[in-house]
Every structure is written in structure tokens, then in C-alpha cells.
């Protein structure tokens, strides 16, 4: 017998997961699981299609099971009510309430199947309600991946296959003949919706209602949030919530700090967000210029920090885990987490309008503090930050120090074009605010020159580096570390231009001063020794090159530290 609802009439695709379930519950009769209760978890985002997969499996293989039962596992009460009904239906008098039904499964040694549906509440201790016996089969559907701990096997229900997704959209959108052009349009819309089941059903219902397959894509691009917020008026399977309403239910259960993290992440790229972004921000936030962005960043960062403003890993893990228990984010590897792109758009769409400015500034402060705490040669972290900074740049960035931090990141990552768009106006602005000879202006000038050099625009770099060196010599002195860096950078530009004699004129005295100021074994002195040797080689002065190289190799092999110093 079965009291299980059937899958939707328009069920589409999901072949892979149905095969996995078939292998586990039906085919695999020889496995070590024989003679044991089978327990499979289908987990994933709200609206991904977990319940439908379980129902379709039960429909397709109903003959393989003695009885199929459907238990609404949303809460303890709904589970108890389902067991109570089961007891009644099986003719046992539920003298001990719901437990009579629960016990029926233990004593009924047959090949029954229970679908425990929507066991989403992380507070629910589901194990208590699973009949413990060596027979029977259970499929759990849940947004909570933690239930993996009690399941023998599990699969995440992800986006649909592109062809299946297109078919699902068409089945809902067009009830008569489908043309090739319709298929093409549906394919594009399905892609825009990331092949996400509920979004496709919702779009299909709207298109059907308004007969607007050809206009829907434009509508989706201009008014995605409005469309995905609308609940479905007529549904084949009682699922009438829009994806936004569905996820809002999870949002309502989150605590303040989890909500705050979701708000912050809405301004970043949806993929590969490093925990280290927050760690470095906490470690460097105090050094950030006093500003609104610093204030707003701190309001959030305190939630991830100890009282003495040290990064609290346990707290961070807990917040991330809490969001993950609703499948709203995935920890993809140690130290990185990602969002589904539609969830990410929802995060922005649902943000309180009055909070947007504060959160955007906060994210700017967090990103800037973490960039400022990053060394020039930490290219791994620079690469991780890159997509997030590109995402953030879509919003207005007004504070000068934030723009400088971002400009610094683009230089560190050798993104010359992006760096140029920052350092050109920054240099002009600092000149006006501080004057030509101010150290701030010199730094901007140096960075602008480096941007040109990264782009191979050596002559433009030279035009800035020559006067920069002059001013730096006068203002800071010949032996100041900054002056030495500028000298080195100018020499490198001459070298790139093939003007080796001019490079040599700078590199010879530079090496002498570097030895005196930093010491013979300092990594930078060694790099400069090599640079000078290379210039000698380019000029065909091989003996002089050799003389320099041999002792420097000796030091280099002793030195563990190699530094790439770009300024
Ligand atoms: N393979 C499919 N074919 C047809 N419709 C589907 C399919 N998968 C999902 N749907 C439709 O998408 C909607 C959501 O599906 P379902 O109820 O299975 O999601 P869920 O993952 O169980 O969500 P929740 O976490 O909210 O319970 C339903 O309207 C359902 O009919
Ligand atoms: Mg469900």
C-alpha cells in the first residue's frame, strides 16, 4: 500500500540521481548493506527538487516495495502526526499515540519505504524518529547537509541538466505545439536561471500566464528580483512559494550574525570567498584610516572576533555552518565558501534598503584592510581577492584610501589596465590636495609609473620615474629606502627600453648604497646585484657580470628568503 503523493505530472530529467537511488535500494542486492536498513539523504537548496526526486523514485519503483509511506518531517509534531495516521491506517489502535505507528515499522519485517520529507529544521533530532531495525528503506529530503551524519549514503540535488531544464521550462510555459525558436528562447532563459528547478517552474508559470516567452529574457534581466519574488498562483504539487519566499523562510531562522555575513557577501563575488579575507581584515582594521568604511567594517568584524579583536575561528565557523545548514552556502574546500548564483542575487535583492549604504561601506573597509595587510609577493591571496574586488567595484567607492588600497591590489596582481584607472586620477587628486613634493604624491606617482610599466608603456613610466627620483633624492635623501626603490625602478625601465648604459649608471651606485644601507646579504641587495650583472651581460661585458654573479650566488644559496619588491 502507499499513502505517498505522486511526483508532479511534469516531472523531468534527474536520470543520474534516479539511477543512484535505484542502484542503492533496488539493484544492489549483493552488497554488504543486505539485511540492514537502508537510509539515503537527498540534500540541497530549497526548491532544488529534492522532494520531487524522492517521489519520482517511489513512483517508478513502487512494485519493488511492500508499502510506501510519506512522512512530513518539518517538525516533531508533523512527524508524530504522520506516525499516528500510519498506525490508524494499519489498523493498530494508536493506544500509545504516534509510537504505535513508529513501532509498526520495527515489527513489520517487510521491504517498506519511508520518505521523510523536508527535514529542514537543524534543531530537529531526526534520528529519534527513524525506526531502528535491520529491515526497510528510508529516504530523507532536507536542506540540512548535517544529516549526512546519520545517513548511510547521500547526494546533493544541484541544478538540472541544461536540456532537462529547458524541457521543464517549456512544459510549464507552452501547452501546445513547441517550435524550434521556442526551444532556443527557453534554452537561453533556463541558462539565465542557472537551471534551477523552482526558478524554471516559476518562470514557466509566468510565461504561460502572460504569453511572453520572447520578452521574458529582457524582463528577467531588468526585473529579476520582482519576478523571482512572485509566488505561484496555480501549482501542480502544492509548491506555491517563489524561490525568494522559500529562501526567506530560512533567512527568518538565522541569527543576526549570519544575516550580517550574508549581507556582506552580497557585495562580493559569489564563488570562492576566503575566510582569510575576514581574518586579515580583523588583523589590520585598526591601521585603516579613520573613516566611515572603517567604522562600518568594525561593526561587522566584531562578530567574528574575540573581545581583544583577534580573529575567532570557532565563531566564524559556527556562523558559516549555520548558514550552510540551510544549504544557503557551501564550504567548497578548507578556507573557501561559495553561494549559488541565484541565492547570491537574492541576498542583494532582500537587503534592507536602509542598510545598503552602511554595508557597502563596511565591505569596502573589510577589503581594504585585508589588502593593506597583504605583502607584495603574496600573489596567492591577491588572486583570491581579485574577483571579489571586481564585484565590489560595481558600486560607488568614494573614500580616497579605499581607492588606494584597490589600486594597490591591481598593481600587486599585475593588472595594469585596472591599476591605471586608479592611479591616474589618484595622482592628480593627491597633487592638488598635498602638492607636488608631498610623500603621498610621490607614492601615487610611483604607482602610476608601475601601472604603465606593467602595461609595457615604458616611455610613459620613464616620464614619471625620472622626476620622481629627483624629488625623492631632494626630499628624502639619497640613501632613503624609498629613493633606492625609485632608483631601482627607473633602472629597470631603462633596461626594458634597451637603454642599458643609462640603467648601468643608476645600478652601480645603487648597489653600493644598498650594501651599506641594507647589508650584503639582504635579499634586495642580492636581487640588485643580479640586476646589475644582467645589465653587464646585455652590454657584452661578461667578465664584469661573472665577477658579480659568483659571490652573489654564494649568498643566495644561504638565503631562504626571496623577496620580490615592487614599489
Ligand atoms: N525534476 C523535476 N521535474 C519537474 N518539476 C520539478 C522537478 N524538480 C523540481 N520541480 C518543481 O520545483 C519545485 C520545487 O521542487 P521540490 O519540492 O522537489 O524542491 P525541494 O528541493 O524539495 O524544496 P524544499 O527544500 O523547499 O522542500 C516544485 O514545484 C516541483 O514541482
Ligand atoms: Mg522538499
Amino acid at each position: 500500500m502507499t499513502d505517498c503523493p505522486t511526483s508532479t505530472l511534469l516531472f523531468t530529467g534527474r536520470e543520474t540521481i534516479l539511477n543512484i537511488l535505484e542502484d542503492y535500494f533496488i539493484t544492489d542486492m549483493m552488497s554488504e548493506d543486505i539485511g540492514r536498513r537502508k537510509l539515503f539523504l537527498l540534500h540541497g537548496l530549497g526548491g532544488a527538487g529534492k522532494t520531487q526526486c524522492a517521489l519520482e523514485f517511489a513512483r517508478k519503483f513502487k512494485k519493488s516495495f511492500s508499502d510506501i509511506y510519506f512522512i512530513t518531517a518539518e517538525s516533531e509534531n508533523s512527524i508524530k502526526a504522520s506516525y499516528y495516521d500510519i498506525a490508524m491506517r494499519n489498523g493498530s489502535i494508536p493506544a500509545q499515540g504516534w509510537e504505535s505507528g513508529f513501532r509498526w515499522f520495527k515489527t513489520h519485517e517487510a521491504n517498506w519505504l519511508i520518505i521523510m520529507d523536508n527535514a529542514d529544521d537543524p534543531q530537529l533530532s531526526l534520528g529519534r524518529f527513524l525506526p531502528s531495525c535491520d529491515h526497510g528503506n528510508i529516504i530523507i529530503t532536507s536542506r540540512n547537509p548535517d544529516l549526512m551524519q546519520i545517513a548511510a549514503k547521500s547526494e546533493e540535488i544541484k541544478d538540472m541538466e541544461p536540456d532537462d531544464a529547458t524541457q521543464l521550462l517549456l512544459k510549464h510555459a507552452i501547452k501546445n505545439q513547441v517550435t524550434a525558436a521556442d526551444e532556443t528562447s527557453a534554452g537561453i532563459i533556463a541558462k539565465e536561471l542557472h537551471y534551477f528547478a523552482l526558478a524554471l517552474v516559476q518562470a514557466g508559470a509566468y510565461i504561460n500566464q502572460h504569453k511572453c516567452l520572447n520578452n521574458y529574457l529582457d524582463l528577467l534581466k531588468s526585473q529579476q528580483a520582482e519576478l523571482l519574488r512572485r509566488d505561484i498562483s496555480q501549482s501542480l504539487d502544492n509548491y506555491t512559494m517563489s524561490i525568494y519566499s522559500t529562501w526567506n523562510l530560512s533567512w527568518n531562522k538565522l541569527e543576526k550574525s549570519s544575516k550580517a555575513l550574508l549581507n556582506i557577501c552580497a557585495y562580493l563575488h559569489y564563488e570562492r570567498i576566503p575566510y582569510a579575507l575576514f581574518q586579515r581584515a580583523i588583523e589590520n582594521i585598526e591601521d585603516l584610516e579613520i573613516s566611515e568604511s572603517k567604522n562600518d567594517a568594525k561593526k561587522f568584524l566584531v562578530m567574528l572576533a574575540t573581545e581583544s579583536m583577534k580573529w575567532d575561528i570557532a565563531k566564524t565557523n559556527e556562523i558559516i555552518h549555520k548558514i550552510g545548514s540551510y544549504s544557503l552556502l557551501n564550504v567548497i574546500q578548507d578556507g573557501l565558501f561559495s553561494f549559488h548564483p541565484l541565492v547570491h542575487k537574492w541576498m542583494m535583492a532582500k537587503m534592507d534598503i536602509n542598510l545598503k549604504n552602511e554595508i557597502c561601506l563596511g565591505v569596502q573597509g573589510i577589503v581594504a584592510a585585508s589588502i593593506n595587510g597583504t605583502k607584495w609577493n603574496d600573489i596567492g591571496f591577491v588572486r583570491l581577492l581579485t574577483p571579489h574586488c571586481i564585484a565590489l567595484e560595481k558600486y560607488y567607492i568614494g573614500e580616497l584610501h579605499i581607492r588606494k588600497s584597490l589600486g594597490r591590489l591591481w598593481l600587486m596582481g599585475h593588472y595594469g589596465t585596472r591599476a591605471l584607472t586608479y592611479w591616474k586620477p589618484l595622482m592628480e587628486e593627491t597633487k592638488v590636495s598635498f602638492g607636488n613634493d608631498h610623500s603621498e604624491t610621490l607614492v601615487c606617482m610611483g604607482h602610476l609609473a608601475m601601472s604603465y610599466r606593467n602595461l609595457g608603456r615604458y616611455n610613459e613610466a620613464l616620464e614619471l620615474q625620472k622626476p620622481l627620483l629627483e624629488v625623492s633624492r631632494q626630499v628624502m635623501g639619497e640613501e632613503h629606502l624609498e629613493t633606492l626603490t625609485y632608483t631601482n625602478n627607473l633602472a629597470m625601465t631603462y633596461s626594458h627600453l634597451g637603454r642599458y648604459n643609462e640603467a648601468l649608471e643608476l645600478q652601480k651606485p645603487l648597489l653600493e648604497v644598498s650594501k651599506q644601507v641594507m647589508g650584503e646579504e639582504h635579499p634586495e641587495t642580492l636581487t640588485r646585484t643580479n640586476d646589475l650583472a644582467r645589465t653587464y651581460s646585455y652590454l657584452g661585458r661578461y667578465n664584469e657580470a661573472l665577477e658579480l654573479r659568483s659571490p652573489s650566488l654564494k649568498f643566495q644559496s644561504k638565503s631562504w628568503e626571496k623577496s620580490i619588491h615592487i614599489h
Side-chain angles (χ1 to χ4, degrees):
M1 79 174 270
T2 173
D3 75 342
C4 184
T6 186
S7 55
T8 150
L9 269 177
L10 301 184
F11 187 88
T12 309
R14 296 298 191 192
E15 223 169 281
T16 310
I17 182 65
L18 290 172
N19 285 339
I20 292 173
L21 291 173
E22 181 183 356
D23 280 351
Y24 178 61
F25 286 109
I26 315 280
T27 320
D28 202 7
M29 300 306 251
M30 303 306 287
S31 87
E32 63 213 29
D33 288 340
I34 283 297
R36 303 210 54 98
R37 188 193 61 186
K38 293 193 174 186
L39 181 49
F40 200 106
L41 169 70
L42 295 174
H43 64 97
L45 255 173
K50 305 175 290 293
T51 300
Q52 286 302 320
C53 285
L55 294 181
E56 176 64 5
F57 171 73
R59 189 195 65 79
K60 221 171 145 189
F61 295 99
K62 61 173 177 266
K63 292 211 172 83
S64 305
F65 299 102
S66 57
D67 320 79
I68 303 178
Y69 289 97
F70 185 82
I71 292 184
T72 309
E74 277 159 17
S75 66
E76 265 195 41
N77 283 343
S78 69
I79 296 175
K80 287 176 182 171
S82 297
Y83 275 127
Y84 190 88
D85 283 352
I86 290 167
M88 294 283 277
R89 233 167 305 145
N90 287 325
S92 41
I93 300 151
Q96 281 130 332
W98 67 275
E99 278 152 324
S100 305
F102 183 57
R103 235 188 329 271
W104 182 84
F105 288 100
K106 283 195 198 174
T107 51
H108 190 61
E109 275 196 47
N111 197 33
W112 44 257
L113 169 68
I114 301 176
I115 297 176
M116 283 268 179
D117 192 44
N118 294 351
D120 300 330
D121 183 356
Q123 311 298 329
L124 177 73
S125 156
L126 191 68
R128 273 180 58 210
F129 297 104
L130 304 176
S132 59
C133 46
D134 275 337
H135 56 271
N137 309 277
I138 302 172
I139 300 178
I140 302 169
T141 81
S142 173
R143 296 181 190 177
N144 183 6
D146 281 356
L147 290 178
M148 263 185 246
Q149 289 162 22
I150 59 168
K153 280 202 161 48
S154 66
E155 277 294 320
E156 184 182 353
I157 302 297
K158 296 188 180 160
D159 300 335
M160 297 180 77
E161 295 297 323
D163 286 347
D164 295 339
T166 307
Q167 287 315 313
L168 177 56
L169 178 67
L170 281 171
K171 283 181 196 174
H172 281 270
I174 298 180
K175 299 295 173 182
N176 37 35
Q177 197 65 34
V178 171
T179 66
D182 291 342
E183 291 222 19
T184 311
S185 305
I188 300 170
I189 296 168
K191 184 166 184 229
E192 190 69 23
L193 293 169
H194 301 275
Y195 311 120
F196 191 79
L198 179 55
L200 296 161
V201 170
Q202 212 180 319
Y206 186 92
I207 294 168
N208 182 261
Q209 214 173 25
H210 299 278
K211 308 282 170 278
C212 61
L213 180 66
N214 292 325
N215 303 333
Y216 191 79
L217 189 64
D218 289 340
L219 210 55
L220 194 59
K221 287 192 169 149
S222 58
Q223 294 180 46
Q224 183 166 105
E226 281 65 35
L227 289 177
L228 297 183
R229 209 173 267 143
R230 291 168 63 107
D231 290 342
I232 303 160
S233 56
Q234 300 294 327
S235 144
L236 284 167
D237 58 0
N238 291 333
Y239 203 112
T240 51
M241 270 189 291
S242 67
I243 53 173
Y244 279 16
S245 309
T246 298
W247 298 337
N248 285 347
L249 289 184
S250 300
W251 168 273
N252 291 339
K253 298 202 178 107
L254 292 172
E255 288 136 23
K256 192 173 153 222
S257 47
S258 300
K259 288 178 180 170
L261 181 65
L262 289 177
N263 283 339
I264 294 286
C265 291
Y267 285 93
L268 303 172
H269 190 271
Y270 63 88
E271 260 177 336
R272 297 172 64 78
I273 300 175
Y275 290 49
L277 165 66
F278 303 107
Q279 176 189 0
R280 290 191 190 202
I282 290 168
E283 287 166 0
N284 296 285
I285 192 70
E286 287 308 339
D287 296 334
L288 206 64
E289 210 167 90
I290 294 172
S291 56
E292 259 189 272
S293 61
K294 179 179 181 173
N295 268 346
D296 293 336
K298 275 179 86 172
K299 279 186 213 160
F300 170 71
L301 291 174
V302 290
M303 297 187 197
L304 309 181
T306 60
E307 271 178 21
S308 54
M309 256 334 242
K310 297 264 176 312
W311 185 43
D312 190 330
I313 309 172
K315 246 193 202 172
T316 310
N317 280 340
E318 203 182 303
I319 293 171
I320 289 175
H321 177 254
K322 184 88 191 170
I323 303 172
S325 70
Y326 294 97
S327 283
L328 290 175
L329 68 66
N330 283 321
V331 176
I332 49 164
Q333 67 187 72
D334 218 10
L336 295 177
F337 60 92
S338 289
F339 294 92
H340 187 286
L342 280 183
V343 171
H344 191 253
K345 284 187 181 143
W346 159 78
M347 282 152 50
M348 182 55 86
K350 90 168 305 317
M351 202 181 301
D352 184 339
I353 188 105
N354 301 315
L355 281 181
K356 280 193 172 173
N357 189 38
E358 178 183 322
I359 292 170
C360 187
L361 279 169
V363 181
Q364 292 175 21
I366 291 168
V367 168
S370 76
I371 295 173
N372 297 352
T374 298
K375 298 220 165 65
W376 284 88
N377 57 355
D378 189 354
I379 204 73
F381 189 67
V382 170
R383 294 273 177 266
L384 277 177
L385 272 191
T386 299
H388 304 298
C389 291
I390 293 174
L392 187 58
E393 277 181 343
K394 285 194 274 176
Y395 303 92
Y396 173 71
I397 299 173
E399 291 176 14
L400 201 70
H401 69 116
I402 303 282
R403 285 160 56 211
K404 282 184 183 167
S405 298
L406 284 168
R408 189 168 174 266
L409 182 92
W410 300 132
L411 264 187
M412 291 195 279
H414 298 274
Y415 298 99
T417 312
R418 280 183 183 275
L420 200 61
T421 61
Y422 278 84
W423 291 111
K424 234 174 152 172
L426 278 171
M427 192 186 79
E428 293 309 322
E429 282 169 52
T430 35
K431 253 189 193 168
V432 173
S433 313
F434 299 104
N436 283 3
D437 297 349
H438 192 276
S439 63
E440 284 289 321
T441 312
L442 299 188
V443 168
C444 290
M445 221 167 147
H447 285 154
L448 179 58
M450 288 307 296
S451 313
Y452 280 128
R453 216 179 78 184
N454 283 348
L455 287 167
R457 291 165 65 172
Y458 301 117
N459 281 318
E460 284 151 290
L462 197 69
E463 286 314 302
L464 290 163
Q465 285 172 323
K466 279 199 299 192
L468 173 62
L469 181 57
E470 281 317 304
V471 180
S472 178
R473 277 176 175 158
Q474 286 160 21
V475 176
M476 298 194 268
E478 297 266 348
E479 295 186 2
H480 191 280
L481 285 181
E482 288 295 313
T483 308
L484 300 187
T485 304
Y486 295 142
T487 311
N488 182 57
N489 290 345
L490 177 58
M492 295 314 250
T493 305
Y494 276 131
S495 200
H496 280 295
L497 285 165
R499 292 164 66 170
Y500 301 118
N501 280 317
E502 283 149 294
L504 193 70
E505 286 314 303
L506 291 166
Q507 284 173 321
K508 274 199 303 189
L510 171 66
L511 182 58
E512 287 317 307
V513 182
S514 303
K515 280 179 186 168
Q516 286 160 23
V517 177
M518 298 189 276
E520 296 217 2
E521 295 188 34
H522 190 279
E524 218 139 303
T525 310
L526 297 178
T527 310
R528 285 168 190 173
T529 311
N530 276 338
D531 291 343
L532 177 59
R534 199 176 305 118
T535 306
Y536 276 130
S537 304
Y538 287 140
L539 287 166
R541 293 163 66 171
Y542 301 116
N543 283 331
E544 282 150 296
L546 200 65
E547 257 170 53
L548 279 169
R549 282 233 157 114
S550 337
S552 80
L553 282 175
K554 184 182 74 197
F555 286 131
Q556 240 167 3
S557 61
K558 275 203 275 169
S559 165
W560 286 102
E561 227 192 310
K562 271 194 176 169
S563 111
I564 306 162
H565 192 81
I566 336 164
H567 258 299

